[in-house]
């Protein structure tokens, strides 16, 4: 499959009380990848929400990834996104199989991206590009990094960090394949607005 378009990432606090309705609204607007990101220790809830998201994603033909938890991903039969503190990708690839989508956080480092590619990543993620509510202390990345990565890393490139409809277009123009968005998508007042934003993010790739 082609990894290109909107990459929606859930936030349990932001989506409290409207979790599935807003996720479905995003899927309605078109989402290439959906990442379930939940930093809590509530394993039963994580499994329950993961199963609900998997069913939704199947209905909309969207690939589901789990943040930082290869074992939950294996249990659900979906992909995983691993941060730099989650260890090498190789064990996750062995656990999830050749077909699974596995993403890697590379911050603002081409070397980390090349390492991830050699370990079998499906895509590499750079960021933050703008001030981010989720990761305020992350090192900043710029569009020049995207151009270098495009030339040197033969994998789809995801960008993350404070991305909104107002600032995303230059990232796509400089080589981003996936716009990873949390607040810029789900920080909307209504499900209809989530759907509108999802369509607008995807439209940036059609230009």
């Amino acid at each position: 499959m082609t990894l290109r378009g909107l990459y929606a990432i859930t936030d349990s606090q932001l989506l409290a009380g409207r979790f599935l309705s807003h996720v479905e609204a995003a899927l309605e607007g078109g989402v290439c990848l959906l990442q379930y990101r939940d930093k809590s220790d509530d394993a039963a809830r994580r499994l329950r929400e993961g199963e609900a998201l998997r069913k939704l994603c199947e209905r909309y033909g969207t690939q589901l990834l789990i943040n930082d938890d290869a074992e939950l991903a294996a249990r659900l039969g979906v992909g995983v996104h691993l941060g730099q503190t989650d260890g090498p990708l190789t064990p996750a690839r062995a656990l999830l199989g050749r077909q699974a989508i596995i993403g890697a956080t590379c911050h603002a480092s081409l070397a980390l991206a090349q390492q991830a590619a050699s370990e079998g990543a499906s895509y590499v993620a750079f960021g933050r590009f703008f001030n981010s509510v989720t990761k305020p202390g992350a090192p900043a990345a710029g569009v020049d990094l995207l151009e270098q990565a495009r030339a040197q890393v033969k994998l789809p490139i995801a960008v993350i960090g404070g991305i909104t409809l107002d600032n995303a277009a230059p990232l796509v123009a400089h080589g981003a394949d996936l716009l990873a968005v949390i607040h810029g998508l789900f920080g909307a007042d209504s499900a209809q607005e989530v759907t509108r934003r999802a369509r607008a993010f995807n439209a940036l790739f059609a230009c």
Side-chain angles (χ1 to χ4, degrees):
M1 67 168 290
T2 305
L3 295 181
R4 188 165 170 80
L6 175 61
Y7 181 178
I9 301 178
T10 70
D11 178 308
S12 301
Q13 289 172 307
L14 184 64
L15 290 168
R18 51 188 186 181
F19 185 75
L20 288 178
S21 64
H22 270 42
V23 170
E24 183 162 12
L27 295 173
E28 186 74 37
V31 172
C32 177
L33 295 177
L34 176 74
Q35 182 190 128
Y36 175 51
R37 186 176 188 275
D38 180 280
K39 296 295 189 183
S40 75
D41 297 326
D42 188 340
R45 180 171 60 83
R46 284 164 54 82
L47 176 61
R48 190 171 66 246
E49 289 184 345
E51 286 175 334
L53 291 179
R54 183 187 61 191
K55 284 183 186 144
L56 267 183
C57 285
E58 282 170 358
R59 196 183 324 151
Y60 284 91
T62 299
Q63 297 280 345
L64 175 65
L65 306 184
I66 307 296
N67 178 273
D68 290 354
D69 190 340
E71 285 171 12
L72 178 56
R75 196 163 167 185
L76 294 170
V78 298
V80 72
H81 181 89
L82 298 174
Q84 281 302 315
T85 54
D86 299 315
L89 264 72
T90 324
R93 176 57 74 200
L95 178 67
L96 299 177
R98 280 214 317 259
Q99 299 301 315
I101 296 175
I102 299 180
T105 295
C106 302
H107 300 301
S109 167
L110 274 177
L112 288 177
Q114 287 160 334
Q115 181 186 339
S118 71
E119 291 177 359
S122 310
Y123 69 86
V124 292
F126 294 110
R128 62 185 170 95
F129 282 84
F130 307 101
N131 288 331
S132 165
V133 180
T134 310
K135 296 198 170 179
V143 290
D144 52 338
L145 174 72
L146 286 180
E147 294 185 335
Q148 292 167 345
R150 190 50 51 261
Q152 296 178 37
V153 182
K154 302 301 179 212
L155 288 175
I157 295 168
V159 292
I160 192 167
I163 294 169
T164 67
L165 285 168
D166 294 329
N167 61 28
L171 301 177
V172 176
H174 284 87
D177 298 293
L178 293 158
L179 294 171
V181 189
I182 304 175
H183 289 263
L185 175 66
F186 289 123
D189 292 334
S190 68
Q192 289 84 354
E193 174 63 9
V194 174
T195 302
R196 187 198 71 79
R197 290 183 186 185
R199 288 190 176 125
F201 276 115
N202 278 316
L204 296 173
F205 291 92
C207 297

